[in-house]
Structures are given as C-alpha cells and as structure tokens.
Amino acid sequence: MVEELGRRKVNDGDLYVIQFYNRLDESNKGEIACPTAGEARKWMEAFDHAKQQAEYELSRGGSTRNKLNMEADIDLDGHRPRVRRYAHGLKNLIRIGKGPEMLLRLTSNLGGSGTSNRYFEGEFGDAIEAHEWKCVRTVNGIRIFEDVADSKRGKGALVKAVGLVDASADTAFEVILNLERRKRYEWDMLTADLELIDSYDGHYDVVYGTYDPKYLTRWQSKRDFVFTRRWFRGQDGAYTILQLPAVHKKRSSRSGYRRTPINPSTWEVRSLNSPMGSNTTKCLVTHMLEIHSSGWLRWKKNSSSKFEKTIPYALLSQVAGLKEYIGANPSLSFESSATVVQSKLSDVSTSSSEFEDLEVQDEFYDAIAGDSTSSSEDEESEDDAEKKKFKLKNVSWAISSLALKRVSASDANKELDPTVPSVHVDASQFSGSLHKGRDETDSNCWTSPSGTGFMIRGKTYLKDNAKIMGSDPLLKLIAVDWFKVDTATDKIALHPRSLVQSDAGKKLPFILVINLEVPAKPNYSLVLYYAAERPVNKNSLLGRFVDGTDMFRDARFKLIPSIVEGYWMVKRAVGTKACLLGKAVTCKYFRQDNFLEIDVDIGSSSVARSVIGLVLGYVTSLVVDLAILIEGKEEAELPEYILGTVRLNRVKPESAVNH
C-alpha cells in the first residue's frame, strides 16, 4: 500500500510525505519526503506502475503462482533479478512522471486543432451537477461567474473567479498554499500577512492573518482573522483547498485589531493538457465563495458600487494576482526539485483540541487506462509513439462528441448468467435499520435512484474518451443498515441477524454487500445490500471481479459521489469525480456462498477522514447520491454499466443502532 500523508512543516520548509507498507504487516512502515507536491505525485505513480509490472511478470512466472492474491505472502526468491530490475526502473518511471493512464485522462483540445485552448468546466465530473454558471463580469483577464441555478437562494450568492494560469497544477497549488510573506505580497492583496498556528494530519492546518485596510476604505481599524485550510489531490491530479473561518485558543482578540471572519471559500486547481507539439503547461484555477446577495446584485448593476472595497472582491481578485505573479516568474514552473531542508523540526503544535470551526452567522456574509510495461522513454518504439499520438489526437473529440446516450439493458444483463431463469427479488422481504423513503421529501432514509445522473465510459472510450449517461442499476438495492460501532467492523454478512443469513437472503442468486466504515466518535457503518435476479456470469467482468484477486478488485472497484442537496462547500469537497476506492482507501473483500462483501475502511486515508469529517458536520441537511460500478479498461468491457445506486436523504447520526 502507498498512501499520501500530505504536507509537513520542517524548519522553514514544507515537505510532502508518502508512506508505503505491507498490508500483512503494518508495524513496519516507510516514508519518502518530497520537496514538491508534483514530485510526491510522481512517486505515487511510479510505485503504481512498478506494482502493475510486478503483478504481470510474476503472474506468468510458472505453475507455483499464476496470479497474485493480496491476502497471501508472495515468495520472491525465484524472481530476484526481476525485482532488482523493477527497483532500478523506478528512477526511469519517476523521470517519465506521466504514465500511459494519464493519456486517457486528457479532457481539453476540444474540436480539433483550431480550438485547442477551449475547455468545458462542466465536463470534469462524473455526475451531473445542478450548478448553472453564468459569466457576469471579466476583470483583469479573469472571468467572474454567478450560480444562477437557484434563484431562491436567499441572502447568499455563490460566485467564483476562474483564470487560466501558465503553470502546472502542482506549481499553482504550492503558490496558493505557501505562507511566505515576501512571495504572497506579490500577488495577494488580502491574506498576505499569514502565520501558521497549527498543523494536523498533513492535509489540515490553522492560519492566523492580519490586514491593514489601506485599500478597503470602509474599514476604520486594522483587522485580523483565523481560518482553517483542508487540501487534497484527487485521483485525476486536481487539487482542492477548503478554507473556513475558525477560532483558536492561541489567537484570541488582539489589541488594536478587530476580528473579522473570512468568507468560506474553495480553491480548485486542475491541469489542462497542452496542444500537440507544444511544451507549455497550463492549469485552470477556480476560487469559489459565498457572499451576501444584496451587495453582489448592486455591483452587477453598477460598476462604480462599493463592492470593490469589500473582502469578497479582494478574494476574487486573488486569481488575477496569482495569474500575473506566475506569469511574471516563469522560473516557478522549472524550479529544481532538489531542496535542502535543515534538520531542526518546527515547534508547531499539533493539538487538535485548541481550535474549532467558526459557525457562520448572518452578518458573516457581509464580509464575504491502457496498461503498459514500458519503464523508459528510450525504450518506446516508434509504433508505440504513433499509437500515443493517435490517442492524443482523438482526445480532442472526447467531450465535444459526447452524446447523452444510455447503456442498454442488454449491455448490462450480459453480466448475469442468461442460462438460469430469473427470480423475483421482493425487497419487502428484507429490512434494514435505515428505512426506505416514501418520497423525496422524507428524511433519515434511503431510496434507489436511476443511473441517469452519472456519466460512465462509453463503448468508444478507449478511442475518444467519450462518456455516456448511465441507465438503471444492474443490481437491486434491497436494504440499508446504519450501525453505530466501537471499532471498524468487517464481515457484516456473517452476523447471525444479517439479512444475508436469513432464509430469504440465502435463496437469492447473488448479494453484493458494501460496508462503508465511517470514522467518527462513535464509529459508524453504512451497509448497502444489493441483490441480483440471476447468478453472476462467471465469464463476465462482474464474474472476474467477484471471484478475482484483491489486486484486480482494487484496480476496478469504482464509486461516483454526488451531493444533490446541501451546503455548497461540502459539494466541492466531495466532488463528482469517480474514485477507484481500492487505490484511495483500504478495501477488504470477503467471498462466500452467494455473496461478496466489500469492507471499505474510510479511516485508512487521512484525506478521506478529513472529507468525511466535514460531511458528517452537515449530514442532516445533505442528500447524497452514490453510484457503484466496475471500471472497464478493455474494449470488451465497455460500455460500463451502473452496478448499484443509493440516495441517502438527510441521515441522522443519532438514529444509528448498536451492532
């Protein structure tokens, strides 16, 4: 297992740490410290490539082991030369950085060479969002948008500033996160005087700042503020930073300063692929925040309004400052990764009990792919290069050729055995601790939506990256359990009172049990039970997943989240991008009788713990959709299909039952 631990403060520098260990023996863990987030990402990708190569080579190594199983030890005695070759090849893998899978993630260059700089922001997710962004002003080369989807929003307006920056996403992310005053003075007119108060799990810190209102003339006194920052990098390489106002014991009211809460805001930084034949690197930077609607409406109607003298305008202007700063310092994109770090550790405290997120009050808003065994560029043949160029060229039509097609029933039904008569799955025979909703207005319940709100890989995805609209799920959701547990609990299906062990459950051809283990105080388990009307086709993708190795399952088990209703910052934190759960958190698989149980340990990842902590804070007001599927990587496995869905309506943590 390789896990990203985030950023650590060492003396006056920051390091990005990744951890690696054997899941069979977690007592011994190694760490690699990298000077930049980009280099940490390359290490992660290098390990992933090496692991895939080792699996492939060892699987052909003879009768003693023709496939790998993550639950068994691997005897490498007979493969020492190969292992040494893989270890030596890590250097080349790191130098390459972008593996062949990155080729299939490219999402710009739409419509051919004539429109190579265009992009469509709405196409970055895998779930259809309710936002409707309208560009209302262009300021200093930065577009400012308003979400006009909900005209009845009330006192808050959701706005964002979007800019195209001539740097990689890694570089822009590091500039935004850097607290060095001298550098921030060059681009940040509001939050330049910052001081780190606390740092927690590598993805979370608390920052104190001061501001002299020289340019915001409405203010008569100096201001200070405290806010938290949570950040993480998605599997698609995009960075998200969440900023929320907070209070902290170390920074109480300061004489001569008036404490001002900074608007809740998010930064999103996403790389864009370069046009063919170009070596330039670009990324899209989005800064989103919520502000009071009255001042916003006045500014839209009157360019001479006082909005330019407010915190929200200063925050939106940060994107313009960032763009100009990076443009004036091209060396930022080419800084050497060799950084000397002194051995003296920072004395920054890590006590998590000294601060709390600030509750937002009304007046607050007035302030604001294909696998490859190639390990070296030099070894790439001309044919391989031509294939890559062909794929790159076809990526230009990926989204522009998108048609909102749906997966036909016949495409998905081939996953079940057609030779066996189907049985009627009567959900009324089963019940869980969380009840099924009567309608969309019901709360603390679940329903099973169709898959039309999710975008999945189409039949031609390997050629043009085109995605299509999902259809009805293959499996039927029959029950949901919401448990409260002392510690994370696996093998829920073996419990005597589990519906899997009931007489009705034993008669079902196949049951898929998804156990989402939620870290909290107390811990929770959200258990989803899906049933099939016929046995699984052994020769199908689902059959190979159900009876395959854990490594195969980890590489294919995919989840797409979508916050249908809820606080906008939670929506940005969760996102709508598909996630390979086996690569993000620890998943355990238990196959027995007529069921497969997947235990998903959300607490095994510090990033996942941070996001789920934010979600639990608002869970009683959230409507969450989840889609489960198996990723298709070969032409015969496409189009993808939705395996199962669930909608969780405003779940109450206190309603969880003891298990």
Side-chain angles (χ1 to χ4, degrees):
M1 289 293 294
V2 182
E3 180 184 7
E4 188 177 6
L5 298 183
R7 198 168 73 156
R8 289 186 191 171
K9 190 78 173 178
V10 179
N11 200 22
D12 293 325
D14 295 305
L15 294 178
Y16 296 82
V17 182
I18 62 174
Q19 182 182 76
F20 56 96
Y21 59 92
N22 185 341
R23 280 199 294 197
L24 299 175
D25 179 14
E26 297 189 17
S27 60
N28 294 320
K29 297 185 177 182
E31 293 183 350
I32 296 176
C34 307
T36 66
E39 187 153 324
R41 172 178 56 81
K42 292 177 182 179
W43 272 101
M44 297 279 287
E45 291 174 356
F47 272 110
D48 189 51
H49 275 277
K51 193 162 66 171
Q52 290 180 27
Q53 288 180 349
E55 179 196 21
Y56 174 73
E57 290 292 340
L58 293 175
S59 67
R60 345 179 275 172
S63 58
T64 56
R65 180 170 299 279
N66 53 25
K67 60 181 179 180
L68 298 184
N69 189 321
M70 293 302 292
E71 296 177 353
D73 286 306
I74 300 173
D75 181 9
L76 297 178
D77 288 339
H79 305 279
R80 291 300 178 188
R82 288 181 191 164
V83 173
R84 284 195 295 271
R85 188 164 69 250
Y86 297 144
H88 180 73
L90 274 176
K91 181 178 180 181
N92 287 333
L93 286 169
I94 295 163
R95 178 169 59 85
I96 294 171
K98 293 183 178 180
E101 289 188 9
M102 295 297 293
L103 190 64
L104 301 180
R105 300 177 189 166
L106 305 177
T107 54
S108 61
N109 282 355
L110 304 181
S113 59
T115 56
S116 59
N117 291 324
R118 293 169 52 202
Y119 73 97
F120 292 90
E121 294 167 80
E123 305 296 348
F124 287 126
D126 292 313
I128 299 173
E129 293 188 277
H131 291 301
E132 186 178 345
W133 294 106
K134 179 182 179 181
C135 183
V136 295
R137 193 71 66 88
T138 301
V139 180
N140 298 327
I142 300 300
R143 293 172 299 153
I144 297 180
F145 292 81
E146 176 188 13
D147 182 9
V148 298
D150 186 4
S151 59
K152 299 179 181 179
R153 182 177 295 279
K155 62 194 174 195
L158 191 61
V159 300
K160 67 179 180 180
V162 180
L164 191 63
V165 177
D166 293 329
S168 67
D170 301 326
T171 298
F173 166 74
E174 290 181 32
V175 171
I176 295 169
L177 221 57
N178 195 325
L179 300 181
E180 188 177 341
R181 179 180 304 175
R182 179 179 59 83
K183 293 182 178 179
R184 292 194 78 94
Y185 271 2
E186 294 193 43
W187 68 273
D188 188 351
M189 65 175 288
L190 181 67
T191 58
D193 288 300
L194 299 179
E195 174 190 347
L196 182 66
I197 303 176
D198 258 328
S199 180
Y200 298 97
D201 60 4
H203 296 90
Y204 196 6
D205 64 18
V206 186
V207 175
Y208 170 78
T210 60
Y211 184 73
D212 188 344
K214 185 179 297 183
Y215 301 104
L216 303 186
T217 55
R218 281 196 320 174
W219 293 351
Q220 302 300 319
S221 61
K222 293 183 179 180
R223 303 297 177 105
D224 66 352
F225 43 82
V226 177
F227 63 95
T228 63
R229 305 186 301 176
R230 306 174 190 232
W231 60 88
F232 48 88
R233 184 177 65 87
Q235 290 181 339
D236 61 345
Y239 290 97
T240 301
I241 306 172
L242 311 177
Q243 298 181 159
L244 286 165
V247 294
H248 197 282
K249 294 180 180 180
K250 290 184 178 179
R251 286 294 182 272
S252 56
S253 300
R254 181 176 175 182
S255 177
Y257 286 82
R258 180 179 171 185
R259 179 61 52 89
T260 299
I262 293 292
N263 293 61
S265 62
T266 65
W267 288 92
E268 296 174 13
V269 186
R270 184 181 305 276
S271 288
L272 298 176
N273 66 298
S274 303
M276 286 294 294
S278 172
N279 292 324
T280 60
T281 304
K282 296 180 183 292
C283 68
L284 195 70
V285 177
T286 302
H287 196 191
M288 190 180 304
L289 61 147
E290 188 175 1
I291 63 177
H292 198 284
S293 59
S294 59
W296 172 250
L297 292 174
R298 285 196 301 270
W299 181 65
K300 286 199 301 180
K301 295 177 181 178
N302 181 10
S303 60
S304 62
S305 73
K306 295 182 179 179
F307 184 71
E308 280 81 355
K309 304 296 183 180
T310 64
I311 286 181
Y313 182 78
L315 289 171
L316 291 172
S317 298
Q318 287 178 317
V319 178
L322 179 73
K323 178 178 180 178
E324 292 301 315
Y325 170 65
I326 292 179
N329 294 272
S331 61
L332 284 172
S333 302
F334 304 102
E335 285 183 348
S336 170
S337 60
T339 303
V340 178
V341 180
Q342 302 298 325
S343 59
K344 181 181 177 181
L345 294 176
S346 169
D347 59 356
V348 172
S349 168
T350 58
S351 171
S352 61
S353 62
E354 295 184 334
F355 85 96
E356 57 185 12
D357 289 335
L358 186 63
E359 187 69 28
V360 178
Q361 304 297 333
D362 290 347
E363 64 271 18
F364 168 77
Y365 296 105
D366 291 324
I368 81 133
D371 294 333
S372 170
T373 57
S374 166
S375 62
S376 170
E377 290 174 332
D378 299 330
E379 296 173 3
E380 186 182 73
S381 68
E382 292 183 4
D383 289 342
D384 290 336
E386 287 301 317
K387 289 178 182 177
K388 288 190 176 184
K389 287 180 181 179
F390 177 77
K391 285 186 178 180
L392 270 171
K393 184 177 180 181
N394 279 276
V395 165
S396 66
W397 301 97
I399 299 171
S400 57
S401 64
L402 174 67
L404 295 183
K405 304 172 184 175
R406 298 176 63 178
V407 180
S408 67
S410 59
D411 287 329
N413 286 338
K414 65 185 180 182
E415 301 296 303
L416 302 179
D417 191 343
T419 64
V420 179
S422 63
V423 301
H424 175 61
V425 179
D426 184 4
S428 63
Q429 299 183 43
F430 308 95
S431 63
S433 58
L434 193 67
H435 77 274
K436 185 175 182 179
R438 295 179 295 273
D439 52 45
E440 294 302 320
T441 62
D442 202 359
S443 62
N444 196 38
C445 62
W446 63 270
T447 57
S448 183
S450 72
T452 56
F454 301 95
M455 304 304 296
I456 58 179
R457 296 181 175 186
K459 185 65 177 177
T460 59
Y461 180 83
L462 298 181
K463 297 178 181 178
D464 55 19
N465 272 35
K467 293 188 176 182
I468 59 176
M469 184 182 291
S471 187
D472 292 332
L474 176 68
L475 305 182
K476 184 174 184 177
L477 182 60
I478 56 175
V480 175
D481 275 325
W482 180 227
F483 291 136
K484 180 167 51 180
V485 295
D486 293 329
T487 58
T489 304
D490 299 335
K491 299 183 178 179
I492 294 285
L494 292 184
H495 195 280
R497 293 198 300 270
S498 169
L499 69 81
V500 179
Q501 301 301 324
S502 67
D503 291 338
K506 291 179 180 179
K507 293 178 182 178
L508 292 173
F510 174 71
I511 303 175
L512 176 64
V513 182
I514 308 293
N515 175 22
L516 301 176
E517 300 170 353
V518 181
K521 293 181 180 180
N523 294 302
Y524 299 97
S525 274
L526 180 72
V527 189
L528 313 174
Y529 302 90
Y530 296 94
E533 60 185 16
R534 295 197 304 271
V536 175
N537 182 353
K538 299 293 185 181
N539 298 320
S540 67
L541 176 60
L542 178 58
R544 289 187 286 128
F545 178 84
V546 168
D547 295 314
T549 66
D550 286 356
M551 183 171 288
F552 179 81
R553 292 162 172 164
D554 281 345
R556 299 299 188 97
F557 181 41
K558 188 157 69 174
L559 179 141
I560 305 175
S562 176
I563 306 293
V564 180
E565 294 180 21
Y567 184 38
W568 70 272
M569 183 166 279
V570 180
K571 290 185 177 182
R572 307 319 299 180
V574 173
T576 58
K577 195 68 180 173
C579 173
L580 288 171
L581 285 181
K583 292 189 175 182
V585 297
T586 299
C587 294
K588 297 179 182 178
Y589 306 88
F590 181 58
R591 176 77 167 107
Q592 184 173 306
D593 301 330
N594 67 331
F595 71 89
L596 169 67
E597 177 175 333
I598 306 177
D599 300 309
V600 182
D601 183 7
I602 299 175
S604 62
S605 163
S606 58
V607 173
R609 283 198 306 270
S610 178
V611 173
I612 204 68
L614 181 65
V615 169
L616 286 175
Y618 295 89
V619 68
T620 56
S621 63
L622 300 180
V623 176
V624 183
D625 279 3
L626 301 176
I628 297 164
L629 58 156
I630 305 171
E631 183 167 88
K633 293 187 176 182
E634 301 175 8
E635 187 172 355
E637 300 168 349
L638 298 173
E640 291 179 332
Y641 59 90
I642 303 292
L643 196 57
T645 65
V646 64
R647 171 168 290 180
L648 303 168
N649 292 319
R650 304 173 186 88
V651 175
K652 298 178 181 178
E654 63 271 18
S655 69
V657 300
N658 291 316
H659 184 267

